[in-house]
Amino acid sequence: MKKTIPFIFFILLSLIFNSCALKPITPEYTFLKYSSAELVKPSELGNGKILIYNGADALHKIDNTGRLNVWINQKALGQLKPNQFVVIELKKATYNFNLMHIDLVKMRSNHSINIDNETKVIRIEPTLTSNKLEITNILPNNFDRFKSI
C-alpha cells in the first residue's frame, strides 16, 4: 500500500503535465469569419464551403485532452479546442487530414476524404486510442454553444 501511493501520485502528475502539452499550430488557411455559431446557416455550406468542428466528448473536455491540431495536405489548419469550429473553402478533391491530440502520448491519425459539392460539415474528435473524422453534413444539436476560432 505504501508503494502504490507514490506510484499513483506520479501517474496523476504525469497526466496533468502531459495533457496540457499540446502546443497550438499557426494556421496556414484563410478562414471565413463568423462571430457566433448562430450566424452559420447550413444552407450556405457546401459547394466548397466546409465547416469543421471538434466534437470532443465530456471525458476529453474534463482532462484537457480534447484539443486537436489539424493539417490538411500537410498544410496547418490550426488547433481546434472542444466546441470550436472553423469554416474554410476547399475545392473538389481528395484531401489528407492529419489529426493529433495528446493523451499521455501523442495520438496521431490520417484520414483521406473526398470533398465534393455536397460536403458541408466535418466532425473531428479525439478518441481514447486515436482520432476520428466523419463527414456528417449536419450541425450538432448543441451547435449554438460552439465558438469560431
Side-chain angles (χ1 to χ4, degrees), residues 4-18:
T4 58
I5 292 174
F7 179 74
I8 292 171
F9 179 75
F10 174 76
I11 295 295
L12 289 174
L13 196 60
S14 295
L15 277 172
I16 290 169
F17 286 116
N18 286 326

Side-chain angles (χ1 to χ4, degrees), residues 73-88:
N73 288 349
Q74 307 303 321
K75 188 175 173 185
L77 177 71
Q79 185 177 90
L80 284 174
K81 296 176 185 170
N83 291 0
Q84 277 191 328
F85 72 93
V86 65
V87 179
I88 63 171

